[in-house]
Amino acid sequence: MAIIVSIIWGLSLLGIVSFYLAKQQRAEPWKVIGEHLLIALMVIGATHYAGDWIGTAFGQG
């Protein structure tokens, strides 16, 4: 449960900061927010699967 809450909290903060960054740079907020959230989700997914692979490769899975 803590992992899910942490992911939601982190993505929310990233979205808010991205919104203010976009406003400051006079860019379209939804493009900036979408780009940053997509990258964050890709990183979260990659680290999850890398952790699973490392656990399996070294006998802890």
Side-chain angles (χ1 to χ4, degrees), residues 51-61:
D52 285 349
W53 177 78
I54 290 169
T56 302
F58 294 102
Q60 297 178 2

Side-chain angles (χ1 to χ4, degrees), residues 1-2 8-11 13 16 18-22 24-25 32 35 38-40 52 56 58-59 61:
M1 183 67 156
I8 292 170
W9 178 249
L11 291 175
L13 288 177
I16 292 168
S18 297
F19 177 79
Y20 286 114
L21 178 68
Q24 188 177 28
Q25 295 179 351
V32 175
E35 178 183 348
L38 179 64
I39 292 169
D52 285 349
T56 302
F58 294 102

Side-chain angles (χ1 to χ4, degrees), residues 7 11 14 34-52:
I7 290 172
L11 291 175
L14 182 61
E35 178 183 348
H36 290 161
L37 292 179
L38 179 64
I39 292 169
L41 290 171
M42 290 171 46
V43 169
I44 290 168
T47 54
H48 172 73
Y49 289 115
D52 285 349

